[in-house]
Amino acid sequence: LDYQHVQVPFEITLWIMLASLAKIGFHLYNKLPSVVPESCLLIFVGLIMGGIIYGLNDRSPPVMDSDIFFLYLLPPIVLDAGYFMPSRPFFENIGTILLYAVVGTIWNVFGIGFSLYGICQVKSFRLQDVSLLHNLLFGSLIAAVDPVAVLAVFEEIHVNEKLHILVFGESLLNDAVTVVLYKLFRSFCEMPTIKSVDVFAGVGKFFVVGLGGVLVGLSFGFTAAFTTRFTKDIRVIEPLFVFLYSYLSYLTAEMFHLSGIVAIISCAMGMKRYVEANISLKSHTTVKYFMKMWSSVSDTLIFIFLGVSTIGDNHEWNWPYICFTVIFCLIWRALGVLVLTFFVNRFHVNTITSKDQFIIAYGGLRGAICFSLVFLLPDFHRKKLFIAATTVVILFTVFVQGMTIRPLVDLLAVKRKRESAPTVGEQIHIRFLDHLLAGIEDISGHWGQYYWKDKLEYFNSKYLQKILLREYDQPKSSIVLLYEKLERKHAIELAQAGQLGHGPAHPSFLSSSDRTVITDQKLEDTPNPDVLDNMQEILARNLYRIRRTGPAYNRHTLPGDSEPTERAKEILILRHKSL
Amino acid sequence: LDYQHVQVPFEITLWIMLASLAKIGFHLYNKLPSVVPESCLLIFVGLIMGGIIYGLNDRSPPVMDSDIFFLYLLPPIVLDAGYFMPSRPFFENIGTILLYAVVGTIWNVFGIGFSLYGICQVKSFRLQDVSLLHNLLFGSLIAAVDPVAVLAVFEEIHVNEKLHILVFGESLLNDAVTVVLYKLFRSFCEMPTIKSVDVFAGVGKFFVVGLGGVLVGLSFGFTAAFTTRFTKDIRVIEPLFVFLYSYLSYLTAEMFHLSGIVAIISCAMGMKRYVEANISLKSHTTVKYFMKMWSSVSDTLIFIFLGVSTIGDNHEWNWPYICFTVIFCLIWRALGVLVLTFFVNRFHVNTITSKDQFIIAYGGLRGAICFSLVFLLPDFHRKKLFIAATTVVILFTVFVQGMTIRPLVDLLAVKRKRESAPTVGEQIHIRFLDHLLAGIEDISGHWGQYYWKDKLEYFNSKYLQKILLREYDQPKSSIVLLYEKLERKHAIELAQAGQLGHGPAHPSFLSSSDRTVITDQKLEDTPNPDVLDNMQEILARNLYRIRRTGPAYNRHTLPGDSEPTERAKEILILRHKSL
């Protein structure tokens, strides 16, 4: 037996296996995941595992290594989040998200830090040796909402899209602030005196860390898109580039002390549309599927490790400090959300309701990022107290808040996510309004979001697409793409039902009663089959016209751009067929 | 800048990136890969990289670590090989493959070892200090044909299926022999005296290592299949289990000093049919795609590292020893193939032609396994000579043999692989003959391959499928599956051509001229569209009957097994539709 030789990969594989089997186990008994969020169950499994290890070895089980967390477990989750980020609501609410992420987080850090310092002044609590700087350092790591925890809980409760993107976007973008503040206070702790110039340097760093992350991410994203231009002959390694370049963007950002999370998100969002157009359909399925799989495994491992790491004797228990930490975390977040939303609502027509505000405040879950940061603290005599407080805050938010948020959402009747995808009609309508608003903004000289979106689209179609896409063509209208997708799905289901027309062999296929059955099968996940069916028929008859008029939506191309001869030919073919 | 922190993942990602970009680069200029095999190009890139590193650092570049090779790079390739192994030709030729792999490899080891020992006795060569045992040890590592190198070259030259499986199967299964002989001679080298009992123990070990590998692999494979029974609710982690269990089988086998390669191949072959039935179509695409991607990357990395590791000063040059090693490798392999094939041909009707024999002998490429094994040798004063000789043999086989084998195959007009998949008619014919032969063997009391295959199929459908499949159903006949696949493909292409019938909107779709166009598009990769089209029409009309009579091919179930009521209902529905 030669265990030493295979130990590392063997144990990693076993942990992943345990995580996957735990996931299967939860889903075997169907009622459990609908009551308790999976994250809680996983932490619970971790606690049991930790207890077993502690019992067998009689010493603390190994703590989740911060390097492993930041270098290997976090990137897949963030990549998944960035790649599948719904870009429309994200950019529509980018201002609010940034306000919550930057100002809100700073507010929380200083609020929690100063009030905990106040608590430390109470003599009977015996905490007078915890300095203000240490409290602020602790505040900087405990203030940030955790994307992994937020995603795990919010994915299950299906609140409306805007609410979801506000909480989730904040949890992703606050990374830049956390990185800066955490490193700033940590270096202040080690410095003998703090000059005012250091504070200003800290403020400047915000922009460097955040914008630097965006820059690194975008450059890697565009390189990835450019690379996939040349993979036509070796389709099999296409998915690799998506993963490699995003991971490199994360590592590069971390290397330069920029925000890795911001970098990988920009990279994923930047490359997505070009990569999707360049790679094959199967490669794309693989990319999507593997990304989901990977992030799901990472997520599972993080929560299990969180549980395992909780067990052990690296905690120092101090009731007042720990209780007040939990209370201040709740209070300052609630206050911050109230104040910031007040300002946001003054400048927006589409306001954030008070119910939504409550869920935003209540959904501020803490998770593995805090946990990893607290272990990265330099050794000092109160580190164990901080570890204990962080653990309690995480467990409190994940268990208490995570488990009660679903009933609360039900109770408050918070607006849910619409179950159905937007219909073709709605999509056309939205697109039309976008162009209309861009025109209005242009005429009125107001440089708003529609104006910039239009400019970006122009830049994209004029330069970026020519460089980054293999087959640079008139971009297909998204409606045509949707139609193609529906057609493909329809076709597969027809084939599966064995009802694909083989010429005259199946004349019955065309009877209308038969067709309704098929349509029902096909559209099992869309709510309004009749409407969509009509749409589809209209599109089927007029596909030619739509494809041609698609580009006419764009203000920068003239409707008559396509060659008339080609057009005439196509019309001829279409006519010929329909006769 | 904090490079230390991200160094390990950053450098790994960069190496993979370099490998992938090199692959893209070769394919940009289309003529290059058709003349020079990719493996040669990759080694060449590696040599350049090694030269650069050597030039910059002024010391030998790092050598490919044997642990990294055996634990991380080799498993994906072998898994891919096992999962996509064409099982029919493999099991039809299993006797011949085992003969080549076991007897052939032993023949080569002793042949090369003893004749090199003879060379060492020549005084003028100054090699008298190399003992017989060391020569045999060297023989044991240089004798084995390398699956990675064989796959890289044979995938490009498309020889006939039997020839391919003979060379490739041998290269995979000789691992058990190599492991045993290498470890045996290495322990003999360290023992003061060798008793005859040790030699017998060595012989016994063959069976333990080989059969133990099969057992470990099959048990993990069946566990994997069993696990995928329960993944219906979390489709997203399904692909994971395929990878995790196969990797665990490899690691477990390595841990117990069994043959990891044999284990992972048995695991992959054992789980394949059950896993495929249990997991979703998208999961399956991901599994297949990712496996191909992963093995392709591993393969690329191995050849690049092979090149990099060649540069440096850990070689001791001795002309006679190195030249004679190359010559003996060629001669003993040629002799071995001739003698073994003579015996094989005496017992088989379907003989191996002399052209095929030549290609088998000539295709005995050496690769990274020898290279890793030679670095794992215990330190002794002639290790550098062995390293040099191994490197030369690998480069000689990969470059000279690898580059000339394609012209030779053309020159000798070796029977090529048929371009097309077997038609439905052929498949029915083959199946029919299988059952006929199984019956003949049963009656005549001859327990041949068809008899055992039939028994295995019986055991499979009676027990294994019930345990391992989620939806245990009458197994679908492979003809029906093929038909379904063709239908699906057809449907997708119809949809892409925009010609899917939407009821009366497209009456022209049914005109026969139109249909021919579609059929041509659909069958662009099958040679005989008319024949297949007819087949398809017959199948479309009679799908019901085929599905029912499928199981009747099996000798162990009676044709009337299906419930008569269900049958009647289905006939009714079918009638109703065709009216």
Side-chain angles (χ1 to χ4, degrees):
Chain A
L1 189 80
D2 183 8
Y3 183 60
Q4 209 65 34
H5 179 56
V6 298
Q7 189 178 11
V8 178
F10 198 74
E11 286 182 1
I12 293 173
T13 317
L14 275 188
W15 273 112
I16 300 177
M17 185 71 96
L18 170 79
S20 318
L21 290 179
K23 256 188 135 87
I24 290 189
F26 302 152
H27 283 270
L28 277 187
Y29 180 59
N30 243 335
K31 276 192 184 159
L32 204 61
S34 66
V35 179
V36 189
E38 213 180 73
S39 44
C40 300
L41 290 174
L42 289 169
I43 290 184
F44 195 71
V45 169
L47 287 173
I48 293 172
M49 290 292 301
I52 293 172
I53 297 174
Y54 193 46
L56 290 179
N57 291 358
D58 214 23
R59 59 193 172 84
S60 303
V63 166
M64 171 162 63
D65 189 43
S66 299
D67 265 3
I68 290 179
F69 173 74
F70 281 113
L71 292 182
Y72 304 106
L73 294 176
L74 189 57
I77 299 176
V78 183
L79 173 63
D80 178 62
Y83 198 83
F84 293 100
M85 176 88 81
S87 58
R88 197 185 165 87
F90 179 75
F91 284 112
E92 266 175 6
N93 297 298
I94 185 81
T96 317
I97 292 171
L98 278 177
L99 197 71
Y100 284 141
V102 179
V103 183
T105 306
I106 295 175
W107 164 287
N108 275 302
V109 169
F110 285 96
I112 294 170
F114 278 111
S115 33
L116 278 178
Y117 182 62
I119 294 299
C120 292
Q121 300 315 306
V122 179
K123 267 189 184 166
S124 59
F125 292 163
R126 293 187 193 166
L127 288 162
Q128 281 141 307
D129 54 330
V130 186
S131 70
L132 175 62
L133 260 179
H134 276 120
N135 271 317
L136 284 173
L137 181 58
F138 180 62
S140 77
L141 67 88
I142 204 76
V145 176
D146 187 81
V148 182
V150 165
L151 204 62
V153 167
F154 273 72
E155 260 190 352
E156 292 179 5
I157 60 175
H158 306 295
V159 293
N160 64 72
E161 212 172 25
K162 187 178 174 184
L163 182 51
H164 183 261
I165 203 74
L166 284 181
V167 183
F168 183 50
E170 180 205 335
S171 71
L172 285 173
L173 297 191
N174 66 20
D175 180 57
V177 181
T178 311
V179 167
V180 172
L181 284 183
Y182 178 77
K183 286 188 179 155
L184 201 69
F185 290 130
R186 218 176 70 170
S187 57
F188 283 176
C189 281
E190 283 155 6
M191 268 191 244
T193 55
I194 301 159
K195 289 172 199 158
S196 59
V197 75
D198 294 327
V199 178
F200 282 110
V203 175
K205 257 196 171 175
F206 277 131
F207 297 97
V208 175
V209 167
L211 294 180
V214 172
L215 235 120
V216 167
L218 283 183
S219 51
F220 274 100
F222 288 138
T223 318
F226 186 70
T227 310
T228 51
R229 268 189 76 161
F230 305 102
T231 51
K232 205 181 170 186
D233 295 320
I234 20 170
R235 292 285 190 196
V236 85
I237 58 170
E238 278 176 341
L240 202 65
F241 288 107
V242 175
F243 298 111
L244 285 181
Y245 278 109
S246 1
Y247 192 43
L248 273 185
S249 78
Y250 181 85
L251 292 177
T252 311
E254 287 284 305
M255 194 158 72
F256 291 106
H257 296 289
L258 307 173
S259 165
I261 292 183
V262 171
I264 203 168
I265 285 177
S266 331
C267 178
M269 290 180 87
M271 78 164 100
K272 192 185 179 191
R273 64 192 292 180
Y274 307 107
V275 167
E276 271 182 17
N278 280 337
I279 68 179
S280 76
L281 199 71
K282 275 194 181 174
S283 296
H284 194 220
T285 306
T286 306
V287 167
K288 285 194 291 184
Y289 216 91
F290 212 80
M291 220 175 251
K292 282 270 167 240
M293 188 182 97
W294 212 337
S295 78
S296 158
V297 169
S298 275
D299 181 90
T300 312
L301 282 177
I302 286 174
F303 284 114
I304 286 188
F305 282 151
L306 214 53
V308 171
S309 309
T310 304
I311 304 288
D313 38 38
N314 35 26
H315 301 289
E316 180 195 334
W317 204 261
N318 178 304
W319 275 106
Y321 196 83
I322 289 170
C323 290
F324 277 107
T325 307
V326 174
I327 293 166
F328 287 140
C329 278
L330 288 173
I331 290 176
W332 284 104
R333 178 155 180 93
L335 278 179
V337 170
L338 278 178
V339 173
L340 290 175
T341 316
F342 174 75
F343 287 108
V344 169
N345 278 348
R346 285 194 60 175
F347 294 101
H348 277 80
V349 184
N350 191 1
T351 56
I352 301 167
T353 65
S354 51
K355 280 178 193 171
D356 284 1
Q357 289 176 42
F358 176 76
I359 296 296
I360 293 173
Y362 200 73
L365 307 182
R366 269 66 163 183
I369 291 185
C370 314
F371 195 81
S372 302
L373 285 179
V374 80
F375 274 98
L376 278 182
L377 282 181
D379 273 326
F380 75 110
H381 66 288
R382 286 291 197 174
K383 187 174 171 182
K384 284 191 174 182
L385 174 63
F386 284 1
I387 292 176
T390 311
T391 309
V392 169
V393 169
I394 293 171
L395 293 185
F396 180 84
T397 54
V398 172
F399 274 88
V400 178
Q401 291 177 226
M403 279 169 76
T404 52
I405 199 163
R406 194 203 300 250
L408 277 172
V409 165
D410 290 338
L411 196 75
L412 292 172
V414 173
K415 207 176 138 207
R416 295 302 183 93
K417 195 166 77 181
R418 51 184 296 176
E419 296 274 307
S420 61
T423 62
V424 178
E426 280 174 308
Q427 285 200 357
I428 295 175
H429 188 66
I430 291 170
R431 175 96 57 97
F432 169 69
L433 278 180
D434 279 4
H435 285 284
L436 188 67
L437 281 165
I440 292 172
E441 283 186 353
D442 203 8
I443 291 166
S444 63
H446 171 73
W447 290 358
Q449 89 187 47
Y450 295 100
Y451 174 82
W452 286 114
K453 195 181 164 191
D454 207 60
K455 279 272 174 257
L456 208 70
E457 205 51 55
Y458 176 66
F459 178 72
N460 172 46
S461 70
K462 184 108 190 215
Y463 304 105
L464 283 181
Q465 288 195 332
K466 281 183 191 160
I467 301 168
L468 301 178
L469 292 187
R470 176 165 41 226
E471 286 153 12
Y472 176 67
D473 206 353
Q474 282 291 11
K476 273 185 188 168
S477 156
S478 66
I479 297 162
V480 176
L481 287 178
L482 174 74
Y483 170 73
E484 283 180 6
K485 197 175 159 189
L486 278 174
E487 278 291 85
R488 205 157 43 225
K489 208 175 144 197
H490 183 174
I492 289 174
E493 270 153 11
L494 274 184
Q496 272 166 358
Q499 287 168 333
L500 195 67
H502 276 282
H506 283 292
S508 65
F509 164 58
L510 294 175
S511 73
S512 69
S513 69
D514 219 329
R515 260 188 54 239
T516 324
V517 176
I518 300 159
T519 319
D520 282 354
Q521 279 181 342
K522 176 192 61 186
L523 298 168
E524 50 194 355
D525 52 348
T526 48
N528 208 342
D530 289 338
V531 173
L532 258 179
D533 195 33
N534 282 337
M535 284 287 171
Q536 223 173 9
E537 255 188 59
I538 293 165
L539 278 168
R541 277 194 213 139
N542 304 307
L543 180 60
Y544 170 81
R545 232 177 295 153
I546 280 190
R547 205 192 310 151
R548 279 302 148 201
T549 49
Y553 282 128
N554 197 314
R555 281 164 55 232
H556 304 283
T557 50
L558 287 168
D561 263 10
S562 59
E563 295 85 349
T565 53
E566 202 183 278
R567 202 172 175 179
K569 218 170 75 190
E570 207 164 322
I571 291 174
L572 209 73
I573 293 168
L574 212 75
R575 279 277 157 72
H576 183 76
K577 268 187 197 150
S578 70
L579 289 174
Chain B
L1 189 81
D2 182 10
Y3 183 61
Q4 210 66 33
H5 179 55
V6 298
Q7 187 179 10
V8 177
F10 197 77
E11 286 183 358
I12 292 174
T13 318
L14 275 188
W15 274 111
I16 299 177
M17 185 72 94
L18 170 81
S20 318
L21 291 179
K23 256 189 134 84
I24 290 190
F26 301 152
H27 283 270
L28 277 187
Y29 180 61
N30 242 335
K31 275 191 185 162
L32 205 60
S34 65
V35 178
V36 189
E38 214 180 74
S39 44
C40 300
L41 291 172
L42 289 168
I43 290 184
F44 195 70
V45 170
L47 287 172
I48 294 170
M49 289 292 302
I52 294 171
I53 298 174
Y54 193 47
L56 291 178
N57 291 358
D58 213 25
R59 59 191 170 86
S60 303
V63 166
M64 171 161 65
D65 189 45
S66 299
D67 264 2
I68 291 179
F69 173 74
F70 281 115
L71 292 183
Y72 305 105
L73 294 176
L74 189 58
I77 300 177
V78 183
L79 173 62
D80 178 61
Y83 199 82
F84 293 99
M85 176 87 81
S87 59
R88 198 186 164 84
F90 179 74
F91 284 113
E92 266 175 5
N93 298 298
I94 184 80
T96 317
I97 292 172
L98 278 177
L99 195 71
Y100 284 141
V102 180
V103 183
T105 308
I106 295 176
W107 164 286
N108 274 302
V109 169
F110 284 97
I112 295 170
F114 278 112
S115 32
L116 279 178
Y117 182 62
I119 295 298
C120 291
Q121 299 316 306
V122 179
K123 268 188 183 168
S124 58
F125 292 162
R126 292 187 197 167
L127 288 163
Q128 280 142 309
D129 54 331
V130 187
S131 70
L132 175 62
L133 261 180
H134 276 118
N135 271 317
L136 284 172
L137 180 57
F138 180 64
S140 76
L141 68 87
I142 203 78
V145 176
D146 187 79
V148 182
V150 164
L151 204 62
V153 167
F154 274 72
E155 262 189 351
E156 293 179 3
I157 59 176
H158 305 295
V159 293
N160 64 73
E161 211 171 26
K162 187 178 174 185
L163 182 51
H164 183 262
I165 203 73
L166 284 181
V167 182
F168 182 50
E170 180 205 335
S171 71
L172 285 173
L173 298 190
N174 66 21
D175 179 57
V177 181
T178 311
V179 167
V180 172
L181 284 182
Y182 178 76
K183 287 189 178 153
L184 200 70
F185 288 129
R186 217 176 71 171
S187 56
F188 283 176
C189 282
E190 283 154 8
M191 268 191 246
T193 55
I194 301 157
K195 289 171 198 160
S196 59
V197 74
D198 293 325
V199 178
F200 281 111
V203 175
K205 258 195 171 176
F206 276 131
F207 296 97
V208 176
V209 168
L211 294 181
V214 173
L215 234 119
V216 168
L218 284 184
S219 52
F220 274 99
F222 288 139
T223 317
F226 187 70
T227 310
T228 52
R229 270 189 76 162
F230 304 102
T231 51
K232 204 181 172 185
D233 295 318
I234 22 170
R235 291 287 190 195
V236 85
I237 56 169
E238 278 177 340
L240 202 65
F241 287 109
V242 175
F243 298 111
L244 284 182
Y245 278 109
S246 5
Y247 193 42
L248 273 185
S249 77
Y250 181 85
L251 292 177
T252 310
E254 288 282 306
M255 195 159 70
F256 291 107
H257 296 290
L258 306 174
S259 165
I261 293 184
V262 171
I264 204 169
I265 285 177
S266 332
C267 179
M269 291 181 86
M271 78 165 97
K272 192 184 179 193
R273 64 190 291 178
Y274 307 108
V275 168
E276 271 182 18
N278 279 337
I279 67 180
S280 77
L281 201 69
K282 275 193 182 175
S283 296
H284 194 220
T285 305
T286 307
V287 167
K288 285 194 291 185
Y289 217 88
F290 212 80
M291 218 176 252
K292 281 268 168 243
M293 189 182 95
W294 212 336
S295 78
S296 157
V297 169
S298 273
D299 181 89
T300 313
L301 282 176
I302 286 174
F303 284 115
I304 287 187
F305 282 151
L306 213 53
V308 172
S309 309
T310 303
I311 305 288
D313 38 39
N314 36 25
H315 301 288
E316 180 196 333
W317 203 262
N318 179 305
W319 275 106
Y321 195 83
I322 288 170
C323 290
F324 275 109
T325 307
V326 174
I327 293 167
F328 287 141
C329 279
L330 289 174
I331 290 177
W332 284 104
R333 179 157 180 88
L335 278 179
V337 170
L338 278 179
V339 172
L340 290 175
T341 316
F342 174 74
F343 286 108
V344 169
N345 278 349
R346 284 194 60 174
F347 293 102
H348 278 78
V349 184
N350 190 1
T351 57
I352 301 166
T353 64
S354 49
K355 281 176 192 173
D356 284 2
Q357 288 177 42
F358 176 75
I359 297 297
I360 293 174
Y362 201 71
L365 307 182
R366 267 67 162 185
I369 291 186
C370 314
F371 196 79
S372 301
L373 285 178
V374 81
F375 274 96
L376 279 182
L377 282 181
D379 273 326
F380 75 109
H381 66 288
R382 287 293 198 172
K383 189 176 171 182
K384 285 191 172 181
L385 174 64
F386 284 1
I387 292 176
T390 310
T391 308
V392 170
V393 169
I394 293 171
L395 293 184
F396 180 84
T397 54
V398 171
F399 274 87
V400 179
Q401 292 178 226
M403 281 170 74
T404 51
I405 198 164
R406 195 202 301 251
L408 277 174
V409 165
D410 290 338
L411 196 77
L412 291 174
V414 172
K415 209 177 140 206
R416 294 302 183 94
K417 196 165 77 180
R418 50 185 296 174
E419 297 275 308
S420 62
T423 62
V424 178
E426 281 174 309
Q427 285 199 358
I428 295 175
H429 188 67
I430 291 169
R431 176 94 58 96
F432 169 70
L433 278 180
D434 280 3
H435 285 284
L436 188 68
L437 281 165
I440 291 172
E441 282 186 352
D442 203 9
I443 291 167
S444 63
H446 172 72
W447 290 358
Q449 86 188 51
Y450 296 99
Y451 175 82
W452 286 114
K453 196 181 164 191
D454 206 61
K455 279 272 175 257
L456 209 69
E457 206 52 55
Y458 175 67
F459 178 71
N460 172 45
S461 69
K462 183 108 191 214
Y463 304 106
L464 285 181
Q465 288 196 332
K466 282 185 190 159
I467 302 169
L468 301 178
L469 292 188
R470 176 162 43 226
E471 286 154 11
Y472 176 65
D473 206 356
Q474 281 291 8
K476 273 188 187 166
S477 156
S478 65
I479 297 162
V480 176
L481 288 177
L482 174 73
Y483 170 72
E484 282 181 7
K485 198 175 159 190
L486 278 173
E487 278 290 87
R488 208 157 42 225
K489 207 173 144 199
H490 183 175
I492 290 173
E493 271 151 12
L494 274 184
Q496 273 166 358
Q499 287 169 331
L500 195 66
H502 276 283
H506 283 292
S508 66
F509 163 58
L510 292 175
S511 73
S512 69
S513 69
D514 218 331
R515 260 188 53 240
T516 322
V517 176
I518 301 158
T519 319
D520 281 355
Q521 281 180 341
K522 175 192 65 187
L523 299 167
E524 53 194 355
D525 52 350
T526 48
N528 208 343
D530 290 339
V531 173
L532 257 179
D533 196 33
N534 281 336
M535 283 288 174
Q536 226 172 5
E537 257 189 56
I538 293 166
L539 278 168
R541 278 197 211 135
N542 304 307
L543 181 60
Y544 170 83
R545 232 176 296 153
I546 280 188
R547 204 191 309 150
R548 278 302 150 203
T549 49
Y553 282 128
N554 198 315
R555 282 166 54 231
H556 304 283
T557 50
L558 286 169
D561 264 8
S562 59
E563 295 85 350
T565 55
E566 200 184 278
R567 201 173 176 180
K569 218 168 76 189
E570 207 164 320
I571 289 174
L572 209 72
I573 294 168
L574 213 77
R575 277 278 155 73
H576 184 76
K577 269 188 198 150
S578 70
L579 288 174

